[in-house]
Amino acid sequence: MELDLDTVSVIQAKAIEFLFEFGPKILGALLIFIIGKFIIGFLIKTLDKVFLKYNIDQSLSSFLKSFSRAVLYVLLFITIASNLGVELTSFIAILGAAGLAVGLALQGSLSNFAGGVLILIFKPFKVGDTIEAQGTLGAVENVDILYTKVRNFDNKVVTIPNGALANNSITNLSQKPTRRVDMAIGVAYGTDLKKTRKVILDTLKKDDRVHAEPEPVVKFASFGDSSLDLVVRCWTDAGDLWPVFWDNMEALKEAFEANDIEIPFPQRDVNHYYPEGIPAAKSLGNPDGGQE
């Protein structure tokens, strides 16, 4: 179907009218968005400098920056809608209704937001702490309004919802300045335990990282299948925990060898019986059960 000249003229007139009426508003909205985005970026950077200047906790500053950015963008879009001629009363009513619907749909996200607030108030951990939570062990890298990022020891970043963190147990491995080093050591049956205890304590004293108070402890723990099991405990700075453990395990191995203290291998006594229940050794003619 071909359009006649009158119809084309009407369409052109309407297009020109629309362009003159809404074109400046659209250009204005685009300009407001560009300027607003620049201002938001500037304000967030300013907040960051203020937080650094006043030594605000990094977890709190990260949370506040994320929250402020979200609020500023909402205000920016309200300004753009107002510039386009949308009545603020109607827009806010629509926004409220939409917010209620979105809130019902995103209850988990609201729980995460509330969890983030609780984390910032009660401070079970802060950025840089090593924590164990939700099956993850690692260093806290960032606390956002909804999620906390934890970098584990093989350099993987795990994102954990704040709601789960706030409502479950968290083990903070960095909150206290000292940690206890636990070592389990086995020596052969027949070993002189007093001599062994002295060798262990003398070895630990050579390591300056091991604290004198509380003093190291060596206790006999149990009779193992092939060994006498000892528990060795000492205290050190939190950052030295694993180096002290690894270095002293190696040092104790060398000290045992130098002092003829045997580290046993697993041993088993095996007795073979024929189907009649007679021990194999007796069936060979030795009534005592030994080899002839």
Side-chain angles (χ1 to χ4, degrees):
M1 185 178 72
E2 295 184 359
L3 297 175
D4 55 35
L5 293 177
D6 292 338
T7 304
V8 172
S9 298
V10 170
I11 292 174
Q12 288 179 343
K14 292 291 185 181
I16 293 171
E17 181 182 350
F18 177 85
L19 185 61
F20 276 101
E21 183 177 355
F22 292 100
K25 293 183 179 180
I26 294 173
L27 289 175
L30 183 61
L31 186 62
I32 291 172
F33 176 76
I34 294 172
I35 295 173
K37 188 176 180 181
F38 173 80
I39 293 173
I40 290 173
F42 174 77
L43 290 175
I44 296 300
K45 288 181 180 178
T46 303
L47 272 178
D48 196 22
K49 291 179 181 178
V50 171
F51 292 152
L52 287 174
K53 180 179 179 181
Y54 291 98
N55 198 25
I56 302 299
D57 180 75
Q58 193 173 349
S59 304
L60 177 60
S61 66
S62 176
F63 183 90
L64 290 177
K65 283 189 292 184
S66 299
F67 182 73
S68 300
R69 185 181 287 109
V71 171
L72 288 171
Y73 269 108
V74 169
L75 294 176
L76 175 60
F77 284 117
I78 290 176
T79 303
I80 291 173
S82 176
N83 183 73
L84 290 174
V86 178
E87 292 185 8
L88 285 181
T89 304
S90 303
F91 181 78
I92 291 173
I94 294 171
L95 189 65
L100 178 61
V102 171
L104 292 174
L106 300 177
Q107 293 183 31
S109 295
L110 293 177
S111 173
N112 291 338
F113 176 79
V117 173
L118 291 175
I119 289 171
L120 291 172
I121 292 174
F122 295 105
K123 295 185 182 300
F125 59 83
K126 63 181 184 297
V127 172
D129 283 356
T130 299
I131 66 170
E132 184 175 5
Q134 298 297 298
T136 298
L137 174 64
V140 179
E141 281 202 333
N142 192 34
V143 181
D144 269 333
I145 59 175
L146 299 179
Y147 301 98
T148 293
K149 292 183 178 179
V150 177
R151 176 176 52 82
N152 60 24
F153 295 114
D154 59 354
N155 216 31
K156 296 176 182 176
V157 177
V158 182
T159 301
I160 305 176
N162 287 338
L165 283 177
N167 292 302
N168 291 280
S169 62
I170 301 169
T171 303
N172 191 328
L173 306 180
S174 301
Q175 199 165 49
K176 299 298 182 181
T178 59
R179 293 278 305 280
R180 192 181 72 188
V181 183
D182 293 344
M183 291 176 278
I185 295 173
V187 295
Y189 276 91
T191 301
D192 185 341
L193 292 183
K194 292 182 179 179
K195 176 184 175 181
T196 303
R197 182 178 290 108
K198 183 177 185 305
V199 169
I200 293 173
L201 292 175
D202 289 345
T203 302
L204 293 177
K205 287 178 182 177
K206 295 177 183 178
D207 191 340
D208 294 335
R209 297 168 299 181
V210 175
H211 294 179
E213 291 294 335
E215 63 181 7
V217 172
V218 180
K219 295 294 183 182
F220 174 58
S222 64
F223 295 94
D225 292 338
S226 305
S227 64
L228 300 173
D229 297 330
L230 304 174
V231 172
V232 181
R233 293 175 177 173
C234 62
W235 289 83
T236 186
D237 293 343
D240 291 331
L241 174 71
W242 288 112
V244 166
F245 176 86
W246 291 320
D247 293 347
N248 281 284
M249 286 295 287
E250 184 174 344
L252 287 172
K253 188 258 185 187
E254 294 173 355
F256 285 174
E257 291 176 348
N259 289 274
D260 296 324
I261 297 174
E262 182 183 351
I263 301 174
F265 295 97
Q267 300 178 24
R268 293 289 185 274
D269 291 333
V270 179
N271 296 301
H272 179 70
Y273 287 82
Y274 284 107
E276 294 80 5
I278 303 173
K282 287 186 177 181
S283 70
L284 295 175
N286 185 350
D288 297 328
Q291 297 288 336
E292 289 187 335

